[in-house]
Amino acid sequence: MSQLARFGVVGAIGFVVDTVIFNVLRATILSPDEIHSGPFWAKVISTVVAIFVNWMGNRYWTFRDQRRSVATREGVEFVIVSLGGMVISLGCLGISHYALGLTSALADNISGNVIGLVLGTAFRFWLYKVWVYHPERTGPAEPVTPTRAPAPSELSGQ
């Protein structure tokens, strides 16, 4: 399966996670009827959860041959890029919901989970490919076991 197809599968799973959490939060504790900025915070929370799901899928499946042995740095870079995608999605939601006054659940889903998703996905895939998982920046997938130092007798040829 090609890398782009694997990225799409991981993204589809992340999309489901993001959309379900967003809609549950928006319909319950973060309803715009109760909290004016509820849809915004629902999107922030749902996206953060989806970022974690996507990182795991991309690290261990999509880009498994290009991941770095040090997960911390890769994770930080992944989160930075993902937050950039989240800003794109939140921007689309913000323009639609707050600037244009399109406040229905359908409008919020179209702006944040369709338009924002398409633009954010293109942004993320490009930066994952050229920065986070770029082949020249990756090391072995698993830590390298240190080799033993040669004995003095092995160095002198005896």
Side-chain angles (χ1 to χ4, degrees):
M1 182 179 276
S2 78
Q3 189 176 56
L4 183 58
R6 288 190 307 265
F7 182 78
V9 170
V10 169
I13 293 167
F15 170 76
V16 169
V17 168
D18 190 353
T19 303
V20 167
I21 292 173
F22 171 75
N23 282 292
V24 167
L25 292 173
R26 189 190 182 286
T28 59
I29 62 173
L30 293 174
S31 167
D33 297 334
E34 301 298 322
I35 301 172
H36 178 69
S37 60
F40 177 87
W41 292 111
K43 189 65 183 160
V44 169
I45 293 166
S46 68
T47 302
V48 168
V49 174
I51 286 171
F52 177 75
V53 169
N54 288 342
W55 181 54
M56 297 303 285
N58 282 314
R59 175 170 172 72
Y60 292 103
W61 191 43
T62 305
F63 298 103
R64 69 178 174 260
D65 297 330
Q66 296 164 292
R67 71 179 190 245
R68 284 181 259 156
S69 59
V70 180
T72 305
R73 182 171 177 168
E74 178 186 286
V76 168
E77 291 172 356
F78 188 92
V79 167
I80 290 168
V81 172
S82 296
L83 291 176
M86 181 174 76
V87 167
I88 291 169
S89 184
L90 288 172
C92 293
L93 176 63
I95 290 169
S96 171
H97 191 93
Y98 301 106
L100 300 177
L102 303 171
T103 59
S104 71
L106 179 62
D108 286 351
N109 275 284
I110 290 172
S111 62
N113 293 329
V114 176
I115 297 168
L117 176 76
V118 169
L119 297 175
T121 297
F123 170 82
R124 286 189 308 270
F125 183 75
W126 175 69
L127 277 175
Y128 293 156
K129 193 105 171 111
V130 302
W131 184 44
V132 179
Y133 296 108
H134 191 278
E136 292 176 7
R137 299 188 72 224
T138 59
E142 300 301 322
V144 177
T145 306
T147 57
R148 76 172 177 84
S153 61
E154 293 174 333
L155 290 175
S156 64
Q158 296 175 354

